[in-house]
Amino acid sequence: MKDFNYYAPTEVVFGKKSEEQVAALVKKYGGTKVLVHYGGKSAVKSGLLDKVCNLLKAGGVDYVSLGGVVPNPRLSLAQQGIDLCRKEGVDFILAVGGGSVIDSSKCIGYGVPYEGNVWDFYLGKATPTKMLPIACVLTIPAAGSEMSESSVITNEDGDVKLGYSNNLSRPKFAIMNPCRTFTLPPYQTAAGVTDMMMHTMERYFTKDDDMDLTTDIAEAMLRSMKDAIFAVLKNPEDYRYRAQIMWGGSLMHNGLTGCGVSDDWATHQLEHELSGMFDVTHGAGLAAVWPSWARYVMHENLSRFVRFAVNVMDVPNDFTNPEATALKGIEAMERFYHAIGMPINIKELIGKEISDEEIKEMVRKCSRNYQRTCGCLKVLQAADMETIYKMARG
Ligand code: NZQ
Ligand code: ZN
């Protein structure tokens, strides 16, 4: 079992009236002048943005706002946010939205006190020692950024999508009202659940498989999400299951399902090149890559894939043929993805066959010019990445 630090400092305020506490929470964590950061339309259309701003006003908290964050959030908007925060003397950032808005907020938070270009952190050229505190009012359960230490930003110059992780960026608080997710379209709901399940699967498919408690927690969460997604696709206003998905998204990425095990993240790394190049929804990109990754690496720990097939995907265990059981588990996952409207290969994801040149470019970027490997269940070299992309072509 691996030694571990479990650090999940975010105060979670969960429930139907949770937004009401926003001004008190900002003050509790020292905010006096807030940047309210948000996305394209949904928070405006639903009235959430107005409600949050009015609550801040009524609570005596001064604020400025900046909208326009798009999925796969762009560096240029974060740079505008950094300039705005400096000009306005902002000391606290409140993200109203999903992973993209929260990640953009984290990027702004890093950039404000830093004299250089905030992209340096994502390139690994510098490490922040301080940042503006951030918090969020979450509107889509998916990325888990509301409790995580990561942010993922796309630099339009070259369409390079890079993640950066630092505990400084864990949100001070996360307000989660499941009713706010009733308006999510089916595709975003399903892509969100796919993403959160993958955050746990990245930690589940490991060689350190002697931490039974973590494994049991992971399997229970994966099974819960599998049930909950069908309930909310049938009835988008099902509070009980929207709530479970919302809390699941946080628990599946706040480190809990990584305690005592190593983590892989190859599927995520391979996917980031897809959403960087084709601007697709991250969760859907994961579904397009995972089955091919799984078939390619399953012999590295076959018993783990058998356990997944049996305990998560309800496949009967063929004790005489573990490979067949493992493969049936992967096929069952593909059927699950299709049942919730997710793709299982790149052609289904982007609607056309990806070219050899595009695959080569993704491999070049994913391997950082052939200088880095990905994953740990099987350490992927550039040639392995190319094989997986070709298997996933469809
Ligand atoms: O911009 P609006 O109009 O708000 O629309 C958004 C967006 O189009 C919409 N939406 C959000 N809440 C809604 C809603 N529509 C109706 N009703 C609501 N209540 O949903 C769309 C997707 O939003 P986005 O924030 O992009 O989704 P998500 O939370 O999946 O975030 C995706 C980003 O997070 C990164 C991904 O790579 C991607 O860039 N990730 C961040 C991680 C982290 N920070 O820890 C980890 C993840 O693995 C992931 O890589
Ligand atoms: Zn993810």
Side-chain angles (χ1 to χ4, degrees), residues 19-189:
E19 291 106 61
E20 312 282 332
Q21 299 181 43
V22 68
L25 286 162
V26 167
K27 288 194 254 185
K28 176 175 171 182
Y29 289 100
T32 61
K33 176 88 184 250
V34 176
L35 172 71
V36 178
H37 199 31
Y38 61 97
K41 293 183 289 290
S42 70
V44 177
K45 200 170 154 198
S46 70
L48 176 63
L49 189 70
D50 274 352
K51 181 168 185 189
V52 167
C53 291
N54 288 336
L55 285 163
L56 290 176
K57 230 181 280 171
V61 179
D62 198 7
Y63 69 89
V64 288
S65 58
L66 177 66
V69 180
V70 292
N72 304 313
R74 309 300 201 267
L75 179 62
S76 58
L77 186 72
Q79 282 167 332
Q80 274 181 46
I82 293 167
D83 292 343
L84 180 66
C85 286
R86 287 179 182 156
K87 189 170 136 238
E88 296 285 341
V90 164
D91 58 15
F92 196 96
I93 304 174
L94 182 67
V96 180
S100 295
V101 178
I102 303 171
D103 287 4
S104 183
S105 301
K106 289 178 178 176
C107 184
I108 295 171
Y110 287 132
V112 172
Y114 180 59
E115 283 180 6
N117 184 341
V118 69
W119 192 240
D120 289 350
F121 302 133
Y122 294 81
L123 289 172
K125 285 187 181 167
T127 304
T129 51
K130 55 183 173 182
M131 71 181 286
L132 288 196
I134 78 140
C136 67
V137 180
L138 186 66
T139 62
I140 170 172
S145 189
E146 67 276 10
M147 287 185 86
S148 84
E149 82 286 38
S150 321
S151 64
V152 190
I153 297 292
T154 298
N155 186 342
E156 300 94 315
D157 185 6
D159 290 336
V160 181
K161 183 172 179 176
L162 294 179
Y164 177 65
S165 296
N166 188 313
N167 273 327
L168 283 175
S169 76
R170 292 197 194 253
K172 299 294 175 204
F173 64 82
I175 289 176
M176 300 190 211
N177 176 355
C179 300
R180 293 289 171 192
T181 68
F182 290 173
T183 51
L184 276 171
Y187 190 78
Q188 288 299 338
T189 301

Side-chain angles (χ1 to χ4, degrees), residues 60-368:
V61 179
D62 198 7
Y63 69 89
V64 288
S65 58
L66 177 66
V69 180
V70 292
N72 304 313
R74 309 300 201 267
L75 179 62
S76 58
L77 186 72
Q79 282 167 332
Q80 274 181 46
I82 293 167
D83 292 343
L84 180 66
C85 286
R86 287 179 182 156
K87 189 170 136 238
E88 296 285 341
V90 164
D91 58 15
F92 196 96
I93 304 174
L94 182 67
V96 180
S100 295
V101 178
I102 303 171
D103 287 4
S104 183
S105 301
K106 289 178 178 176
C107 184
I108 295 171
Y110 287 132
V112 172
Y114 180 59
E115 283 180 6
N117 184 341
V118 69
W119 192 240
D120 289 350
F121 302 133
Y122 294 81
L123 289 172
K125 285 187 181 167
T127 304
T129 51
K130 55 183 173 182
M131 71 181 286
L132 288 196
I134 78 140
C136 67
V137 180
L138 186 66
T139 62
I140 170 172
S145 189
E146 67 276 10
M147 287 185 86
S148 84
E149 82 286 38
S150 321
S151 64
V152 190
I153 297 292
T154 298
N155 186 342
E156 300 94 315
D157 185 6
D159 290 336
V160 181
K161 183 172 179 176
L162 294 179
Y164 177 65
S165 296
N166 188 313
N167 273 327
L168 283 175
S169 76
R170 292 197 194 253
K172 299 294 175 204
F173 64 82
I175 289 176
M176 300 190 211
N177 176 355
C179 300
R180 293 289 171 192
T181 68
F182 290 173
T183 51
L184 276 171
Y187 190 78
Q188 288 299 338
T189 301
V193 168
T194 302
D195 188 22
M196 62 181 74
M197 289 176 74
M198 194 64 66
H199 294 153
T200 281
M201 288 156 67
E202 298 277 18
R203 296 160 164 119
Y204 179 91
F205 291 106
T206 165
K207 282 186 176 158
D208 308 305
D209 54 7
D210 58 350
M211 182 30 150
D212 305 302
L213 180 60
T214 294
T215 300
D216 290 342
I217 291 171
E219 287 173 354
M221 286 190 188
L222 291 169
R223 284 196 304 271
S224 282
M225 293 307 113
K226 263 179 65 211
D227 293 342
I229 179 69
F230 289 112
V232 300
L233 288 179
K234 203 163 150 205
N235 175 12
E237 302 203 0
D238 188 325
Y239 183 86
R240 173 180 171 180
Y241 288 103
R242 284 286 190 194
Q244 288 177 51
I245 290 175
M246 198 164 207
W247 186 218
S250 304
L251 291 179
M252 292 175 111
H253 197 33
N254 77 355
L256 181 63
T257 56
C259 294
V261 299
S262 27
D263 36 10
D264 189 84
W265 299 106
T267 306
H268 264 74
Q269 300 305 331
L270 292 164
E271 192 291 322
H272 281 170
E273 302 315 325
L274 279 170
S275 44
M277 186 177 276
F278 298 105
D279 202 15
V280 289
T281 301
H282 167 63
L286 295 170
V289 170
W290 185 81
S292 299
W293 170 85
R295 288 192 174 90
Y296 190 67
V297 306
M298 69 181 203
H299 290 285
E300 301 294 322
N301 190 349
L302 195 58
S303 62
R304 199 67 168 171
F305 280 88
V306 169
R307 191 179 162 142
F308 176 79
V310 175
N311 289 358
V312 179
M313 302 312 296
D314 301 320
V315 170
N317 199 345
D318 177 353
F319 292 98
T320 62
N321 193 345
E323 185 176 0
T325 308
L327 280 170
K328 280 186 186 151
I330 298 168
E331 286 159 13
M333 195 69 193
E334 289 178 319
R335 282 195 298 280
F336 168 73
Y337 285 149
H338 271 165
I340 63 171
M342 287 290 102
I344 60 166
N345 58 51
I346 299 172
K347 192 172 180 186
E348 289 183 4
L349 175 72
I350 63 172
K352 62 163 188 147
E353 189 154 307
I354 189 169
S355 68
D356 284 345
E357 290 66 38
E358 286 165 331
I359 287 182
K360 282 207 160 52
E361 180 59 4
M362 289 199 301
V363 170
R364 185 187 69 73
K365 285 180 174 168
C366 194
S367 64
R368 308 282 185 266

